Each structure stands twice: as C-alpha cells, then as structure tokens.
Amino acid sequence: MPAAPVVPSSMQAICFTEPGEPDVLHLETLQVPQPGRGEVLVRVMAAGVNRPDLMQRKGLYPPPPGACPRLGLEIAGEVVACGLPQEGTPMPAPGSRVCALTNGGGYAQYCLVPAGQCLPWPKGFNAEQAAALPETYFTVWSNLFMPTMPEHGTRVLIHGGTSGIGTTAIQLVKAFGGQAFATAGTDEKCALCTELGATAINYRTEDFLTRIRELTHDQGVNIILDMIGGAYFNRNLKSLTLDGRLVIIALQGGAKAEQADLARIMTRRLTVTGSSLRPRDSANKARIARELHERVWPLLDRGSIKPLIHATFPLAQANQAHKALEEGNHIGKIVLTVSPA
C-alpha cells in the first residue's frame, strides 16, 4: 500500500485585504485547512483564472455565505486527505488526481473541495489542462444542456466566442449536434471560432443581429448564451426564433437594458433567464458533475474536445494573470501553476 501523502502545516495562498486593481493580490502564509464531512483536501497543481475572480477582487462579487473568501473557483491536483464520508457521495481516494469546482480558495497550494464537485483528470491531460475545465464546463453544461438536451440541429449564438466559456460552448454545441454561431472582436478570434466549428461574426465590423438574420434566413437562433447583458438585450431578443431562450450569465455590457421590448417576449414566447454558478448548493453542483462525467468526460478522454489555454502564470504572479484577463486579448483560458509547499 502506498504511503499517505505528507501534508505540511502551512501553505502559500493569494490574498488581498482591500478591493482594488490587480496589484492588491499578494502571497501570504496560511494554515493548511482540514477537510470536514464530505470534503477532500487537494494539493493544488494548477488553478484556473476566471472573470468572477476579477469581480471579487474589485469588491463587486462577494462570496456567498459559508464559502471560502479567497479567490479561485477551479483547480486540478492530488487528493491528500479526506473528511468523513457523506451519504450518497463517493469520496475520491488519497492519491487520486482530480479537477474540481471549488467554493473558493483555489489560488493556493492546498484547497478544500466538496467531494461531489471533483472529477478525474481526462486521459492524457496535465494539470493545466485539467484546471481549465471545471468552471467553464459546469457553466456551459448547466445552462445549455440541463435540464433538457437541445434537439439535434439547435441553433445557438454564443457571445464572446474565444473566451473560456465561448470555446467550450462552441465545442459542446457541435459535439451534440447543434449549429453554433459565435461573436468575436478580431479577425484572428473569428478564425479560431470557425476552426472550432462555429459560424463567426466580427461584432466590431458587423451587426450580429443583421448577420444572424441573414445566416438563418430570418428564422433566428434557438438559444443565446450571453455574457454582455444590457447592451445586447434587445438585439438578442430580435435574434431569437419563436420559443427561443436567452441565457444571461454575465453583465460585461451593463446590468440594465433601456426600453426592453417586453411585447416581443410575450408575442414570440421567449424565455429570458439568468444564471450564476457559485451560489448554487453542493448538491446542485454535484448533479452537474455527474452529468459531465457521464456525457462529456468520454469526449475529453477521446480527444474529441479539449480546453484551449492562452497562457500560464506561476501562483505568485496572480496579479499578472488578472491583468492579462482584463486586457481581453486572450483566446481560451488563463491558468496559474502551483509549486509544491
């Protein structure tokens, strides 16, 4: 039997005392936490960087009650300790390599995670690739494929096609028989969207509403996955077909829509819904994880789909990783690499 992993008493973690610009982030030495019931302690090898981290750093996205107040919502690493088991939730064994959607605290050498939010590394993946999966795949799957799988041929418009969410959504829509359309802001980014399987629209040189109408012969799309919010709201409504669905997952273009066309929502029988992943309870996140393991992980194992990684930074340079994400020039994910304690 292999020896149990050695867990030190202290670790390095990224912290900030006051909200602000990326340079408020700094390393601190903290005690390694101990797993409670239904939790595992993971030695972090890599951690994904996401827009909710930027918002939390700015003081605009406080963690929900009971969540770890530190940054980091997705990790990959090795399970080194387990708490008492929780009925109905399998516990990964110490030594298992997992990627996980965390409840915060992923920018650290060790992180506590509910066992149900852990998934195995897909075959052939390294830590950086595995860490790029949870936040985006949980988000895309729960918003586009749950509770009901879209029909074959469903037309989906994805705003921000070269973001981590966007590149994931394009690949999953294509893998499950849908038709993907994606907006992006440069010809280079549009070329990548096309390579991934989407019909690309350069929102800086074309009006996406006009192009969607042209491309769908005035039918519109069935679903829109939107990260912009207010600035796109009415054009999104006009881009939807009868019984279409608008899913708002971020508000990069503002939280308010002027003169919202409510009559169109009624007469076209449209559904407008919002979604936030972090406040969901562990049972909900575990259900998403189980569906991903059953339906999506085989595709990752076969290499049919994969995460795109734009850049990696060492943990101590989390501020530089935040700056890179804020600049908006990335194509795919930005990931922190974490050295052992």
Side-chain angles (χ1 to χ4, degrees):
M1 180 179 296
V6 176
V7 181
S9 59
S10 63
M11 66 177 186
Q12 295 284 293
I14 293 292
C15 300
F16 64 99
T17 53
E18 296 290 339
E21 297 302 312
D23 288 338
V24 301
L25 302 180
H26 60 274
L27 278 174
E28 288 189 15
T29 300
L30 305 175
Q31 281 193 322
V32 173
Q34 299 300 309
R37 182 177 293 275
E39 291 182 323
V40 295
L41 179 65
V42 178
R43 178 175 69 82
V44 180
M45 300 177 184
V49 178
N50 296 283
R51 288 203 175 272
D53 300 334
L54 274 58
M55 293 172 61
Q56 184 177 337
R57 189 205 75 226
K58 295 175 181 178
L60 302 175
Y61 189 48
C68 177
R70 289 183 281 105
L71 300 178
L73 299 177
E74 61 182 347
I75 59 170
E78 177 191 16
V79 174
V80 294
C82 299
L84 293 173
Q86 194 166 39
E87 186 176 355
T89 303
M91 302 287 285
S96 302
R97 291 196 166 183
V98 299
C99 56
L101 185 74
T102 80
N103 294 338
Y107 290 12
Q109 291 175 317
Y110 290 87
C111 182
L112 288 180
V113 184
Q117 295 168 210
C118 294
L119 287 159
W121 290 14
K123 292 177 182 177
F125 272 47
N126 60 28
E128 292 82 6
Q129 293 169 315
L133 297 175
E135 175 73 10
T136 52
Y137 277 77
F138 274 69
T139 297
V140 172
W141 187 260
S142 62
N143 284 292
L144 293 185
F145 298 90
M146 294 176 71
T148 304
M149 286 289 292
E151 296 179 2
H152 187 86
T154 295
R155 298 182 296 274
V156 183
L157 172 59
I158 300 149
H159 289 305
T162 56
S163 65
I165 294 288
T167 55
T168 299
I170 291 170
Q171 292 182 81
L172 285 178
V173 167
K174 181 183 176 184
F176 286 95
Q179 184 179 2
F181 302 85
T183 60
T186 68
D187 290 342
E188 178 190 9
K189 290 183 175 182
C190 284
L192 176 69
C193 292
T194 301
E195 183 180 336
L196 292 175
T199 300
I201 301 168
N202 188 329
Y203 66 83
R204 297 188 190 277
T205 60
E206 303 175 290
D207 174 59
F208 75 81
L209 170 58
T210 301
R211 285 294 289 144
I212 285 296
R213 285 178 168 172
E214 292 172 351
L215 292 165
T216 64
H217 307 290
D218 284 327
Q219 293 183 66
V221 295
N222 304 101
I223 308 173
I224 299 175
L225 187 65
D226 177 51
M227 310 175 201
I228 306 302
Y232 278 10
F233 187 75
N234 281 318
R235 279 188 290 165
N236 278 335
L237 295 183
K238 293 176 182 178
S239 299
L240 287 167
T241 190
L242 194 68
D243 294 315
R245 179 162 61 102
L246 169 60
V247 185
I248 301 170
I249 61 170
L251 301 170
Q252 296 177 32
K256 295 183 179 180
E258 298 298 329
Q259 298 180 331
D261 190 353
L262 302 182
R264 189 173 190 88
I265 296 173
M266 294 174 59
T267 58
R268 301 287 288 175
R269 302 195 300 268
L270 306 180
T271 299
V272 178
T273 182
S275 175
S276 182
L277 183 61
R278 191 175 188 187
R280 300 188 189 203
D281 62 30
S282 292
N284 186 289
K285 294 173 183 176
R287 184 162 58 251
I288 300 170
R290 289 193 297 271
E291 286 204 17
L292 285 170
H293 193 230
E294 177 184 349
R295 304 298 300 273
V296 176
W297 252 236
L299 300 176
L300 292 164
D301 285 337
R302 293 198 298 268
S304 302
I305 58 176
K306 62 181 180 180
L308 275 68
I309 297 177
H310 176 76
T312 62
F313 295 84
L315 180 64
Q317 293 179 16
N319 59 338
Q320 298 301 315
H322 275 220
K323 289 176 183 177
L325 188 58
E326 287 181 335
E327 287 170 358
N329 296 321
H330 59 290
I331 294 178
K333 295 282 293 190
I334 293 174
V335 177
L336 298 174
T337 57
V338 184
S339 300

